[in-house]
Amino acid sequence: MYTPDPDFPAKPHHFMSKRLGISISLVLFVLVLLLSYALCSLQVDRSTQAILADKNRFLLSKIDTMQIRLQDWRRTMLEQTNTLALSESVRLFAADMAALPSNLLDKSSRTAAPGSDSDQLSLLDQREYMQQLLADIAYQNDLDRIRMFLPDGRKIVDSASDAADNHDDDLLVRQAVTSRTLSFGAIHKHGDRFALQAGAPLFEISGKDRPRVVGCLLLCFPMDAALTNILQDKESQLRLVDLFPDRSSVFLLREDALQQLPLRAGVAGAHSLDFKKRPAMAGGDDVYSLAFISSLPNTLMLVASLPAADIDREILHKSMQIYAVGLLTSLGIGLLLAFGVSCLVGRAHRA
């Protein structure tokens, strides 16, 4: 029969029970932490999406405001363009000039042109009258300049004959004549202010379903007041991007001054319309932005953005709050579980 040595007492049974209770408590506490972390991660994702959705709605409202301001300018611009492009006197003059021989279109050679009749020379003399008429129309409608071209790109009348031509004129005339619709060029510096050119095709007066294009009008609209009105905002960064081929520029207001900057090189998704985080189009820190290409002119893109650092800071602050609440909740649940396990172990020991 085995007799325990009195110098080496046996390990008490309640000590083994305590170790088992502690192990169970730790396992349960780890499980609670993992479950809490998973729930907090889901809540952080929901919170992040809610913050981004709120910013998206905010920028959508800014885009809507920009569209309304752009439509106000567009309405006035269309009225001026249609009034002049649909004028019978302008269209008849363009058709008559298009029928003239090429050698008579040069003022310096018209008096010596052999075989030219008096009607042709009289029509050439009317260019001075048409030039003065276009100059008066430009002054009355606050336009910078009005020019008339033949379908092949030759200029026949200029309300500001002493002004230099733009190298994009040929492209704009060709685009308007080919598409038979109103076309727009790039926003450029005209003197000491910004301007935008619109090319309007001139159609012959006839009963045909598809009348012939006999000319093209280029109207130069001042844009300083329109751009300032469109970009005026104190709560977000509003931008207007000119997407005209090879002339991509970004217009913005800084300290109430209108500025033109080149589109940032290497900006990925510059024409993307969805709300997301991207590099700022005019340089600087990253932004969360939303873009919308206007229908007329479709060379302009409206952009509303917010600094990415502010939104990321808000998301981080909200995430820290969620994880802190989850940690405190896990500790409380862990203590309750530990207390419950210790009670069960104690009861089992007493039994």
Side-chain angles (χ1 to χ4, degrees), residues 66 69 194 223-234 236-240 250-261 282 303:
M66 295 178 72
R69 295 170 180 173
F194 293 104
M223 289 296 293
D224 289 70
L227 290 175
T228 302
N229 181 48
I230 292 172
L231 300 174
Q232 191 68 43
D233 188 76
K234 299 296 183 182
S236 61
Q237 301 173 359
L238 300 185
R239 303 283 186 265
L240 189 140
V250 180
F251 294 88
L252 64 154
L253 284 177
R254 284 181 177 172
E255 299 178 356
D256 296 330
L258 186 62
Q259 296 187 13
Q260 179 184 14
L261 300 175
V303 181

Side-chain angles (χ1 to χ4, degrees), residues 12 18 41 90 113 123 129-130 146 161 167 176 182 196 221 255:
K18 286 183 178 180
S41 297
V90 172
L123 180 60
Y129 166 77
M130 183 60 67
I146 303 176
S161 57
H167 69 276
L182 186 64
L196 175 66
F221 295 91
E255 299 178 356

Side-chain angles (χ1 to χ4, degrees), residues 3 10 24 43 79 94-95 107-108 146-148 177 216 228 245 253 263 268 290 308 310 315 336 351:
T3 302
I24 295 175
Q43 185 60 31
E79 291 176 357
K107 290 183 180 181
S108 62
I146 303 176
R147 286 171 292 170
M148 188 182 300
V177 171
C216 177
T228 302
L253 284 177
L263 187 66
L290 182 69
D310 295 343
I315 293 175
L336 289 177

Side-chain angles (χ1 to χ4, degrees), residues 12-294:
H13 180 70
H14 69 277
F15 181 71
M16 297 296 294
S17 301
K18 286 183 178 180
R19 287 186 60 183
L20 179 61
I22 293 173
S23 300
I24 295 175
S25 299
L26 288 175
V27 171
L28 292 177
F29 181 66
V30 170
L31 292 176
V32 169
L33 280 179
L34 292 176
L35 179 61
S36 177
Y37 177 78
L39 294 176
C40 288
S41 297
L42 291 176
Q43 185 60 31
V44 166
D45 290 339
R46 295 194 192 98
S47 176
T48 300
Q49 295 304 319
I51 292 175
L52 294 179
D54 180 68
K55 302 304 180 183
N56 188 16
R57 287 191 295 269
F58 175 76
L59 293 183
L60 276 174
S61 67
K62 296 301 178 182
I63 290 290
D64 290 341
T65 301
M66 295 178 72
Q67 289 189 75
I68 293 174
R69 295 170 180 173
L70 180 63
Q71 288 171 359
D72 291 338
W73 168 82
R74 182 178 61 184
R75 189 177 303 110
T76 303
M77 178 268 299
L78 286 177
E79 291 176 357
Q80 296 172 341
T81 303
N82 290 333
T83 299
L84 189 57
L86 296 177
S87 170
E88 290 189 4
S89 60
V90 172
R91 295 161 65 188
L92 287 173
F93 177 79
D96 292 339
M97 293 295 289
L100 284 177
S102 300
N103 61 334
L104 289 181
L105 291 176
D106 186 2
K107 290 183 180 181
S108 62
S109 63
R110 72 174 188 268
T111 56
S116 57
D117 55 32
S118 58
D119 292 337
Q120 291 177 336
L121 295 178
S122 175
L123 180 60
L124 290 173
D125 289 333
Q126 291 182 19
R127 283 200 292 191
E128 282 75 10
Y129 166 77
M130 183 60 67
Q131 178 183 356
Q132 186 58 46
L133 176 63
L134 295 182
D136 293 340
I137 294 175
Y139 176 78
Q140 294 171 3
N141 292 274
D142 194 27
L143 299 177
D144 287 344
R145 193 178 182 185
I146 303 176
R147 286 171 292 170
M148 188 182 300
F149 292 80
L150 292 180
D152 58 7
R154 287 177 295 172
K155 185 173 66 174
I156 52 178
V157 180
D158 191 340
S159 65
S161 57
D162 55 342
D165 292 332
N166 194 303
H167 69 276
D168 294 325
D169 293 343
D170 293 340
L171 174 61
L172 187 56
V173 170
R174 186 164 58 251
Q175 181 179 348
V177 171
T178 303
S179 65
R180 301 171 62 90
T181 58
L182 186 64
S183 302
F184 293 88
I187 300 177
H188 62 282
K189 271 288 188 179
H190 183 78
D192 59 347
R193 58 180 181 175
F194 293 104
L196 175 66
Q197 287 199 128
L202 298 174
F203 299 100
E204 65 175 343
I205 301 177
S206 66
K208 299 178 181 178
D209 294 335
R210 186 177 174 83
R212 180 171 55 95
V213 177
V214 295
C216 177
L217 281 176
L218 289 190
L219 293 84
C220 189
F221 295 91
M223 289 296 293
D224 289 70
L227 290 175
T228 302
N229 181 48
I230 292 172
L231 300 174
Q232 191 68 43
D233 188 76
K234 299 296 183 182
E235 298 176 298
S236 61
Q237 301 173 359
L238 300 185
R239 303 283 186 265
L240 189 140
V241 181
D242 190 345
L243 300 176
F244 190 81
D246 303 326
R247 290 285 296 275
S248 294
S249 301
V250 180
F251 294 88
L252 64 154
L253 284 177
R254 284 181 177 172
E255 299 178 356
D256 296 330
L258 186 62
Q259 296 187 13
Q260 179 184 14
L261 300 175
L263 187 66
R264 183 176 182 176
V267 175
H271 301 170
S272 177
L273 307 181
D274 56 324
F275 172 81
K276 67 177 182 180
K277 185 177 181 179
R278 55 170 60 92
M281 294 185 173
D285 299 330
D286 291 349
V287 295
Y288 282 91
S289 61
L290 182 69
F292 176 83
I293 296 181
S294 65

